[in-house]
Amino acid sequence: MASENPFKANLTSLPKPGGGEFGKFYSLPSLNDPRIEKLPYSIRILLESAIRNCDNFQVKKEDVEKIIDWEKSSPKQVEIPFKPARVLLQDFTGVPAVVDLACMRDAMNKLGSDSNKINPLVPVDLVIDHSVQVDVARSDNAVQANMDLEFQRNKERFAFLKWGSTAFHNMLVVPPGSGIVHQVNLEYLGRVVFNSDGILYPDSVVGTDSHTTMIDGLGVAGWGVGGIEAEAAMLGQPMSMVLPGVVGFKLSGKLRNGVTATDLVLTVTQMLRKHGVVGKFVEFYGDGMGELSLADRATIANMSPEYGATMGFFPVDHITLQYLKLTGRSDETVEMIEAYLRANKLFVDYNEPQLERVYSSYLQLDLADVDPCVSGPKRPHDRVPLKEMKADWHSCLDNKVGFKGFAIPKEVQEKVAKFSFHGQPAELRHGSVVIAAITSCTNTSNPSVMLGAGLVAKKACELGLQVKPWVKTSLAPGSGVVTKYLLQSGLQKYFNQQGFHIVGYGCTTCIGNSGDLDESVASTISENDIVAAAVLSGNRNFEGRVHPLTRANYLASPPLVVAYALAGTVDIDFDKEPIGTGKDGKSVYFKDIWPSTEEIAEVVQSSVLPEMFKSTYKAITKGNPMWNQLSVPTATLYSWDPNSTYIHEPPYFKGMTLDPPGAHGVKDAYCLLNFGDSITTDHISPAGSIHKDSPAAKYLLERGVDRKDFNSYGSRRGNDEVMARGTFANIRIVNKLLSGEVGPKTIHIPTGEKLYVFDAATRYKAAGQDTIILAGAEYGSGSSRDWAAKGPMLLGVKAVIAKSFERIHRSNLVGMGVIPLCFKAGEDADTLGLTGHERYTIDLPSKISEIKPGQDVTVTTDTGKSFTCIARFDTEVELAYFNHGGILPYVIRNLTKQ
């Protein structure tokens, strides 16, 4: 169990220049270890956390040594515990987290303990940035109209989160309509350095969205995790992670005139994807850092999921401090941040000689070599230099269907489809732009590209160019600050004239919420098989994501989004062909509307002011009229509504006792599903729309919910009844028990009936029969999703026997009390002759003290087969979770004892 911190002697005072002290800190220099000087800054942050939290149980002295010895230990894929400084949630993932906290309070109350002990132990920032469906686009009142619809659809969920904001300490809830979670994090929530009860330490964050990495541009180590890891971190539990390799990315030189931060980002994304950085940190350094604004850095960091890294990290330097002042952080706070980071060797001063740090591998880029570019038509890392765009487009039309191909026959490539748009003559061709969206946290936090786009709109207006009315244009700033500086600069009116009205503050087109196209446009595309295009300033453009009818989707800088909207097509060579005809009858070219770097810098300097950030975020905490009018109970225990189809009390703690249930094996279990390799969390977890014939649809229809109001699994994540029914409901899932048939069904072994997975699981549970899952390699790969572990547990699955597990999914299963077992090397269900029709007994000791991490376990079947597996409880902490039936009961019982 936990003991006194062995590093307490390294607690050092940080004096203030004028006397007194800022606080105390765990000093890395006081360790007097020469290896620390060579460590990447990102690894130093992991080291500081390990030293500060060392208790020789959750974080051991050996873990600290592994991190200090990073150069030798990281290639060995060793695991370390990490305790982040805070947790960032958005409403889709925030709802189940708050549901679980509310349930834990109920359980504490039933055990006769003080339920108010259940509060997050680290600060939790919950931003309700519910993605805005662009129902209304070209309208001066688009923001309000879209907001009204969002509140109609999601009122119950919003009200629940508002209750949570008052019921739980240490939880800040940012109301809907304030901005995209990652931009709000950058401009307002990011602390950079915490001062908690006189102890100073670096800000670090895990968030429940993959683009949490945007905060790395601010020198705050952060990345995305699943809901169970986030909940565990909230409740003071360590996260298990592989000590990562770090790719050093050296930047030099300066961007050429007219080249944007987005062009740089798409170039870096392509380079890193090619280099291979999955599971690694990327750390940026070099003389070129001084040429990158903080917003430019955040834009690069945001795209970490697209290049595959855990994070793209920019250590704190003078530019970071300038940004903190710009965004309204006080001088005293900035002074404290700089003093602490310098004292603990976590600050980069480019005015001083740089010691060579060691990296796992190296890349470099001269910023002067970056060309204007876009990415597409189907993947973020398929970069196309702007000067090659027309040729690349024609090769995409010719190529066979794939990431870079549409297979359009030569004879129909020039086809023109004429139609009437609200009484006006209109036409579409292959490559016609039908959606042009300035959207996504990636770019909307960056004043240079946002104001650059405004200048393009202004120059076009002055020359008499106009975006065609059938192009669905939208502008979705990441925060209210953007609106303030667009108004200050006088550029918003030109955006409006070109149809780029503000539609809302949240994720829109990038996440697939582009809304419907006008019926005349939609039918023309469908009837003529047109390869229509969307151009967006987002981070994801996978096929079918932006809109079902835009087969070609290009990522581009906000100024290029406006330029392509004006051209009306991606089939254009901006160097040679005119964008359109001006009011004087002359051709207007790209160079006529493209602003210079100096022009943009001048507008940024005069328009982006600290007061804008201060006033915007002061107002955030006051909410907005619709949020403030939501009526919520004041009790600290939640009153569950049994009729709600959005918020439901899950059965995690039913019949819970003060004593842990203890370790247990599995006896005579049936196989619920028998899988091959590469079953992802997308296969397991409920996601996307609710199919009309599914068990979840049946549940909703029985409760009077119309099909049009089904919403998505994501929006109903607070209702375990819906989510359990959506587990393994993926229409492309391959289950060997179905003998080649694909879909969300299985065989109920005792009767031989083919049933939906949920219905079969329900039948097993009703008969008191346990179930297990057989799987191949990489079970649970893909995005980390909490319901990929919660769902199987609710279906009654007691164990998963796989060839190998994705790391986070394995720990999630343990967190929900499900036993993860691995076949021995060279063995699997097929080599052992297992069909899934057997009954399985897993022989685990009933005393937790008799189980060791990674020990061998015997599995026998009713057909006489016996084989040995490895129990994948990898740490003593995980065994403690298993003894209690999961992380949440473990935390409750520990708090009850206090």
Side-chain angles (χ1 to χ4, degrees):
M1 292 301 289
S3 61
E4 189 176 62
N5 190 328
F7 294 97
K8 66 175 186 178
N10 299 92
L11 203 54
T12 306
S13 177
L14 182 66
K16 283 185 176 178
E21 67 173 29
F22 287 111
K24 291 185 166 51
F25 68 102
Y26 283 87
S27 167
L28 301 186
S30 74
L31 294 169
N32 293 319
D33 194 316
R35 292 174 295 179
I36 294 173
E37 282 285 335
K38 290 184 170 184
L39 288 179
Y41 285 93
S42 48
I43 298 299
R44 295 181 198 187
I45 288 174
L46 300 182
L47 175 61
E48 188 283 336
S49 174
I51 289 168
R52 178 167 37 88
N53 292 297
C54 190
D55 62 356
N56 274 327
F57 176 59
Q58 291 185 336
V59 182
K60 297 183 177 179
K61 213 168 174 183
E62 305 92 87
D63 298 318
V64 171
E65 172 57 27
K66 285 177 192 172
I67 302 172
I68 292 176
D69 204 36
W70 168 84
E71 191 178 348
K72 291 178 182 170
S73 57
S74 69
K76 298 174 186 170
Q77 293 283 293
V78 299
E79 294 223 357
I80 59 160
F82 175 59
K83 285 193 165 191
R86 64 188 169 99
V87 172
L88 182 69
L89 306 173
Q90 56 195 143
D91 60 335
F92 267 6
T93 44
V95 168
V98 178
V99 163
D100 289 353
L101 286 174
C103 271
M104 289 172 77
R105 277 208 174 156
D106 285 350
M108 286 279 282
N109 194 48
K110 285 169 187 163
L111 291 170
S113 188
D114 178 6
S115 60
N116 287 324
K117 285 181 182 174
I118 297 289
N119 278 300
L121 294 178
V122 301
V124 174
D125 300 320
L126 199 163
V127 182
I128 307 179
D129 75 337
H130 181 74
S131 37
V132 178
Q133 182 83 11
V134 186
D135 293 281
V136 181
R138 288 193 171 203
S139 161
D140 288 332
N141 70 343
V143 174
Q144 193 56 48
N146 285 315
M147 190 82 159
D148 289 344
L149 287 162
E150 292 307 308
F151 264 82
Q152 283 171 31
R153 291 175 181 136
N154 302 292
K155 186 177 178 181
E156 190 177 344
R157 211 167 73 244
F158 292 169
F160 176 67
L161 292 175
K162 187 177 179 183
W163 168 80
S165 70
T166 57
F168 296 103
H169 307 306
N170 232 4
M171 182 183 285
L172 171 70
V173 176
V174 178
S178 305
I180 299 174
V181 57
H182 309 306
Q183 188 160 343
V184 174
N185 193 21
L186 191 74
E187 295 174 352
Y188 177 58
L189 298 171
R191 279 74 152 180
V192 186
V193 172
F194 268 91
N195 186 343
S196 181
D197 297 326
I199 303 293
L200 303 167
Y201 52 94
D203 186 4
S204 57
V205 61
V206 291
T208 50
D209 182 87
S210 55
H211 292 100
T212 299
T213 53
M214 189 169 187
I215 199 66
D216 300 326
L218 195 68
V220 174
W223 59 87
V225 295
I228 292 172
E229 300 101 291
E231 287 182 37
M234 279 163 53
L235 296 165
Q237 300 305 301
M239 288 171 45
S240 180
M241 63 181 287
V242 171
L243 185 61
V246 183
V247 178
F249 199 122
K250 188 174 186 178
L251 297 169
S252 60
K254 184 178 180 179
L255 292 172
R256 302 196 315 275
N257 188 34
V259 178
T260 68
T262 317
D263 301 324
L264 169 60
V265 172
L266 297 177
T267 304
V268 167
T269 298
Q270 185 184 43
M271 287 176 69
L272 286 168
R273 178 60 75 172
K274 186 179 176 187
H275 185 73
V277 292
V278 171
K280 297 187 173 82
F281 289 175
V282 177
E283 186 166 295
F284 293 88
Y285 68 105
D287 296 340
M289 294 285 280
E291 298 298 329
L292 292 185
S293 71
L294 196 290
D296 292 348
R297 298 171 182 197
T299 311
I300 295 170
N302 180 286
M303 291 285 275
S304 296
E306 282 64 51
Y307 44 82
T310 301
M311 66 175 181
F313 188 72
F314 291 81
V316 175
D317 61 10
H318 287 106
I319 287 172
T320 321
L321 301 179
Q322 288 166 13
Y323 180 82
L324 291 171
K325 288 179 179 175
L326 169 70
T327 50
R329 276 79 160 191
S330 72
D331 289 344
E332 188 181 348
T333 299
V334 176
E335 185 187 10
M336 178 268 288
I337 288 169
E338 182 177 4
Y340 166 75
L341 293 174
R342 280 184 182 277
N344 220 10
K345 301 283 187 184
L346 294 167
F347 186 86
V348 183
D349 190 334
Y350 286 104
N351 298 317
E352 296 173 357
Q354 297 295 300
L355 283 168
E356 272 302 310
R357 287 177 296 286
V358 175
Y359 293 107
S360 310
S361 61
Y362 298 81
L363 281 173
Q364 57 182 8
L365 173 66
D366 184 339
L367 298 177
D369 293 340
V370 175
D371 290 320
C373 57
V374 296
S375 274
K378 301 179 187 184
R379 294 191 300 187
H381 53 282
D382 288 335
R383 189 180 68 89
V384 186
L386 206 56
K387 58 179 180 283
E388 297 171 18
M389 181 60 181
K390 188 179 179 78
D392 191 82
W393 170 252
H394 281 276
S395 69
C396 285
L397 289 178
D398 291 337
N399 293 345
K400 66 181 184 182
V401 173
F403 291 125
K404 294 289 287 184
F406 298 106
I408 302 300
K410 280 278 189 203
E411 61 273 17
V412 294
Q413 286 184 11
E414 301 302 319
K415 175 183 191 175
V416 180
K418 296 185 181 295
F419 67 104
S420 174
F421 182 83
H422 297 259
Q424 296 181 41
E427 59 182 49
L428 293 177
R429 308 163 183 258
H430 294 301
S432 285
V433 174
V434 294
I435 291 175
I438 298 175
T439 174
S440 164
C441 47
T442 310
N443 285 288
T444 60
S445 63
N446 195 324
S448 65
V449 291
M450 296 300 284
L451 289 164
L455 287 169
V456 172
K458 178 176 187 270
K459 289 171 184 277
C461 287
E462 290 168 348
L463 291 166
L465 286 191
Q466 198 68 36
V467 175
K468 298 288 189 292
W470 55 84
V471 180
K472 186 167 188 177
T473 44
S474 61
L475 170 58
S479 83
V481 176
V482 181
T483 298
K484 284 190 168 71
Y485 65 64
L486 288 177
L487 290 170
Q488 169 79 16
S489 65
L491 294 175
Q492 183 62 53
K493 68 177 180 185
Y494 298 108
F495 269 134
N496 291 349
Q497 284 177 40
Q498 296 293 355
F500 287 92
H501 293 84
I502 293 176
V503 294
Y505 300 93
C507 303
T508 58
T509 307
C510 189
I511 204 169
N513 283 3
S514 51
D516 292 335
L517 292 173
D518 186 272
E519 181 47 44
S520 63
V521 176
S523 58
T524 304
I525 294 170
S526 300
E527 289 162 15
N528 295 278
D529 198 26
I530 296 288
V531 182
V535 184
L536 63 151
S537 66
N539 45 41
R540 293 198 167 159
N541 57 335
F542 306 120
E543 195 167 15
R545 183 181 177 101
V546 171
H547 192 284
L549 292 175
T550 59
R551 277 192 270 170
N553 302 284
Y554 286 94
L555 303 182
S557 66
L560 273 177
V561 171
V562 179
Y564 274 111
L566 289 160
T569 182
V570 296
D571 184 7
I572 183 171
D573 181 340
F574 279 143
D575 280 348
K576 299 173 183 165
E577 297 175 77
I579 282 179
T581 305
K583 57 190 174 191
D584 59 2
K586 293 180 181 172
S587 291
V588 176
Y589 288 85
F590 181 77
K591 62 182 170 52
D592 301 325
I593 61 169
W594 199 254
S596 68
T597 301
E598 288 72 26
E599 279 179 278
I600 294 171
E602 202 174 296
V603 181
V604 170
Q605 188 68 32
S606 61
S607 306
V608 185
L609 309 170
E611 191 47 48
M612 294 175 177
F613 292 89
K614 286 178 184 169
S615 60
T616 299
Y617 288 109
K618 195 174 176 185
I620 266 185
T621 53
K622 294 176 183 170
N624 57 58
M626 284 188 286
W627 173 259
N628 294 339
Q629 284 161 21
L630 287 174
S631 170
V632 297
T634 54
T636 56
L637 291 175
Y638 189 69
S639 299
W640 303 98
D641 175 2
N643 298 316
S644 171
T645 57
Y646 277 100
I647 309 296
H648 184 263
E649 181 182 12
Y652 304 144
F653 310 113
K654 277 192 175 157
M656 183 177 167
T657 58
L658 273 171
D659 295 321
H664 58 87
V666 177
K667 188 166 176 58
D668 288 335
Y670 284 101
C671 178
L672 181 64
L673 294 146
N674 183 3
F675 292 131
D677 296 342
S678 300
I679 291 295
T680 70
T681 51
D682 280 348
H683 291 118
I684 306 166
S685 184
S689 59
I690 297 171
H691 193 270
K692 62 182 174 57
D693 298 323
S694 66
K698 183 183 174 195
Y699 170 86
L700 292 171
L701 289 168
E702 285 171 353
R703 279 149 189 81
V705 179
D706 289 340
R707 192 164 287 162
K708 66 179 176 58
D709 296 323
F710 277 2
N711 218 325
S712 63
Y713 282 113
S715 67
R716 294 187 183 273
R717 285 178 77 154
N719 188 313
D720 61 285
E721 295 279 10
V722 173
M723 299 301 278
R725 286 163 171 78
T727 301
F728 299 114
N730 189 298
I731 56 171
R732 293 183 181 85
I733 205 162
V734 178
N735 170 16
K736 292 180 189 175
L737 293 177
L738 292 179
S739 307
E741 188 182 331
V742 176
K745 293 191 176 180
T746 194
I747 299 298
H748 178 250
I749 305 296
T751 62
E753 286 181 75
K754 184 168 72 175
L755 302 171
Y756 279 107
V757 175
F758 174 80
D759 294 334
T762 303
R763 200 176 285 186
Y764 284 126
K765 282 175 77 176
Q769 295 158 337
D770 289 342
T771 53
I772 59 116
I773 287 170
L774 293 175
E778 298 176 346
Y779 182 75
S781 56
S783 300
S784 170
R785 298 179 191 271
D786 53 339
W787 276 103
K790 286 180 175 177
M793 184 276 278
L794 290 173
L795 293 180
V797 173
K798 300 301 181 191
V800 179
I801 310 175
K803 278 180 76 173
S804 63
F805 291 92
E806 193 279 334
R807 185 180 61 81
I808 291 176
H809 183 63
R810 182 203 60 77
S811 69
N812 283 352
L813 289 172
V814 175
M816 294 311 297
V818 178
I819 302 167
L821 297 178
C822 274
F823 291 108
K824 287 282 189 174
E827 294 183 348
D828 59 21
D830 291 342
T831 63
L832 292 166
L834 304 173
T835 64
H837 288 262
E838 308 86 354
R839 297 185 75 170
Y840 294 79
T841 295
I842 299 168
D843 184 21
L844 264 179
S846 57
K847 286 185 180 175
I848 200 71
S849 58
E850 294 174 11
I851 307 176
K852 297 286 176 278
Q855 79 172 45
D856 284 355
V857 172
T858 302
V859 182
T860 55
T861 70
D862 63 334
T863 57
K865 285 193 166 67
S866 178
F867 54 97
T868 305
C869 288
I870 301 163
R872 287 297 310 277
F873 301 111
D874 289 359
T875 64
E876 297 288 346
V877 175
E878 288 189 345
L879 281 170
Y881 294 160
F882 178 59
N883 192 47
H884 282 262
I887 285 179
L888 304 183
Y890 168 83
V891 171
I892 288 176
R893 291 191 183 98
N894 276 355
L895 287 173
T896 304
K897 289 176 193 168
Q898 291 174 14

